[in-house]
């Protein structure tokens, strides 16, 4: 794979910055005569709601996040497999759990099946009311809902005393989780089953014309030799808004993976070319920020 960096000066600077061997080394750099400090936050629980991270950042707002000018999160994916993009919008999310309790304890299905009301049957009915057979959302005011499956290995020959169904609703600007939980959803279910609100996140939007996004765009152009697309993602990354609110500064989402990486699925991967070009892109981004 050839290096697509065209400018000799940028090439030399990128190689110098990329030659650093530790985060301690890269944490402080002199770029174009200006001393720059970089701070890193590694987090591996984004798919579990980033448990504990928001509290940690709030606690260290005046220390770790003090004097932060820009934030960059390397997450989300390109629209295709060849052209890079920058993400400037995310949908929010609110997760719910519906619990149905009937009998006092689990019962043998061969003895009590057909005799007692089964909580699982009631739960299936409740969940079936969320969408039509044409897959249209039936909750008034909601546009995008995804349901989680309840499953497990092995045969089931027991009537459970309690079952829990989980589903999530993706939200867009103008929608708030608490309004959905207390308003549309409770009214729709006629208050027979009160859904419990789980983790939630508001939608996020950014200004693609600020210095942070312009630096990201220049870095993409430098490495990939093409201007990136600007997209709004369907996914939700709650910590993005947390960084923006705590720092009061711009947050850039810099995707490195391709659309066929099978996110959240079997055989999830990242192409070698995306990985290597991604390293160059992140380093080029740091160089471009140094020019701001």
């Amino acid at each position: 794979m050839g290096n697509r960096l065209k400018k000799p000066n940028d090439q030399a600077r990128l190689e110098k910055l990329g030659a650093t061997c530790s985060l301690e080394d890269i944490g402080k750099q002199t770029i174009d005569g200006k001393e720059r400090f970089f701070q890193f936050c590694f987090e591996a629980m984004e798919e579990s709601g980033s448990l504990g991270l928001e509290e940690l950042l709030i606690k260290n707002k005046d220390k770790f996040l003090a004097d932060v000018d820009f934030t960059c999160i390397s997450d989300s994916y390109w629209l295709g497999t060849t052209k890079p993009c920058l993400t400037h919008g995310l949908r929010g999310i609110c997760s719910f759990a519906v619990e149905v309790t009937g009998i006092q304890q689990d019962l043998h299905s061969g003895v009590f099946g057909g005799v007692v009301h089964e909580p699982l049957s009631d739960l299936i009915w409740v969940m079936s009311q969320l969408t039509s057979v044409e897959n249209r959302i039936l909750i008034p005011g909601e546009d995008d809902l995804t349901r989680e499956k309840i499953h497990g290995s092995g045969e089931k020959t027991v009537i459970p005393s309690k079952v829990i169904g989980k589903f999530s609703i993706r939200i867009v600007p103008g929608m708030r989780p608490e309004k959905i939980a207390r308003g549309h959803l409770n009214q729709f279910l006629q208050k027979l089953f009160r859904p419990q609100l789980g983790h939630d996140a508001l939608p996020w939007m950014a200004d693609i014309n600020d210095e942070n996004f312009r630096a990201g765009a220049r870095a993409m152009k430098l490495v990939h030799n093409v201007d990136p697309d600007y997209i709004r993602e369907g996914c939700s990354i709650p910590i993005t808004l947390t960084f923006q609110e705590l720092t009061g500064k711009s947050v850039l989402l810099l995707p490195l993976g391709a659309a066929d990486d099978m996110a959240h699925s079997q055989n999830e991967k990242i192409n070698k070319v995306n990985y290597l070009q991604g390293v160059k892109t992140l380093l080029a981004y740091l160089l471009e920020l140094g020019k701001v």
Side-chain angles (χ1 to χ4, degrees):
M1 179 187 66
N3 195 315
R4 297 186 181 181
L5 297 175
K6 302 299 183 181
K7 301 177 182 179
N9 290 339
D10 287 328
Q11 172 73 47
R13 292 171 183 168
L14 191 58
E15 289 177 351
K16 180 180 178 181
L17 190 59
T20 56
C21 59
S22 70
L23 292 179
E24 183 177 357
D25 292 333
I26 202 174
K28 180 180 179 181
Q29 292 287 326
T30 300
I31 302 175
D32 289 341
K34 301 177 183 178
E35 194 172 65
R36 301 290 183 177
F37 293 87
F38 303 103
Q39 299 189 144
F40 297 86
C41 177
F42 294 95
E43 193 256 337
M45 293 186 65
E46 194 273 328
E47 297 304 330
S48 300
S50 300
L51 299 178
L53 180 57
E54 182 176 10
E55 292 79 4
L56 181 64
L57 292 174
I58 293 174
K59 182 179 179 180
N60 292 276
K61 175 184 177 182
D62 298 324
K63 297 178 181 179
F64 183 75
L65 295 179
D67 301 322
V68 169
D69 295 314
F70 304 103
T71 299
C72 175
I73 298 176
S74 181
D75 203 340
S76 71
Y77 301 86
W78 299 352
L79 289 179
T81 58
T82 58
K83 189 177 182 182
C85 68
L86 296 176
T87 302
H88 66 100
L90 297 169
R91 285 193 289 187
I93 189 172
C94 43
S95 303
F96 299 93
V98 177
E99 180 179 307
V100 180
T101 303
I103 49 185
Q104 292 183 344
Q105 66 185 63
D106 295 351
L107 298 175
H108 192 293
S109 62
V111 177
F112 294 95
V115 178
V116 299
H117 284 286
E118 300 186 28
L120 181 58
S121 299
D122 291 338
L123 177 63
I124 291 173
W125 178 85
V126 171
M127 299 291 280
S128 71
Q129 303 306 299
L130 298 174
T131 58
S132 69
V133 292
E134 292 85 13
N135 206 30
R136 292 185 178 181
I137 298 170
L138 299 178
I139 302 174
E142 313 310 332
D143 298 318
D144 184 28
L145 178 146
T146 58
R147 287 174 289 181
E148 299 182 15
K149 297 179 180 179
I150 303 174
H151 60 86
S153 59
E155 301 297 330
K156 302 296 184 289
T157 59
V158 66
I159 300 175
S161 61
K162 178 178 69 176
V163 291
I164 299 175
K166 296 181 179 180
F167 62 94
S168 60
I169 299 175
R170 301 280 181 173
I171 57 178
V172 297
M175 301 172 67
R176 300 190 66 86
E178 62 271 16
K179 182 178 180 181
I180 296 172
R182 299 171 186 169
H184 300 317
L185 201 56
N186 273 338
Q187 293 175 12
F188 178 73
L189 295 179
Q190 301 174 345
K191 299 183 179 180
L192 294 176
F193 301 91
R194 292 184 179 274
Q196 303 170 7
L197 180 62
H199 80 276
D200 60 77
L202 292 172
W204 169 78
M205 289 285 291
D207 179 9
I208 63 174
N209 295 310
D210 68 24
E211 294 287 356
N212 202 10
F213 272 83
R214 288 205 291 265
R218 291 194 301 270
M220 286 287 195
K221 179 81 176 279
L222 194 63
V223 175
H224 297 278
N225 200 31
V226 64
D227 291 319
D229 290 323
Y230 292 89
I231 69 169
R232 299 181 189 180
E233 263 275 10
C235 67
S236 306
I237 308 175
I239 206 64
T240 306
L241 192 59
T242 301
F243 274 108
Q244 182 172 294
E245 291 178 342
L246 292 180
T247 64
K249 302 294 177 60
S250 168
V251 177
L252 165 70
L253 278 183
L254 191 67
L256 302 178
D260 62 352
D261 281 351
M262 303 302 294
H264 301 188
S265 186
Q266 293 83 12
N267 299 319
E268 187 172 3
K269 54 83 179 173
I270 182 171
N271 298 325
K272 291 180 181 179
V273 64
N274 287 83
Y275 179 84
L276 295 174
Q277 295 291 68
V279 172
K280 296 178 184 178
T281 300
L282 290 173
L283 293 174
Y285 165 71
L286 297 182
L287 285 173
E288 292 300 325
L289 275 186
K291 301 175 183 178
V292 175

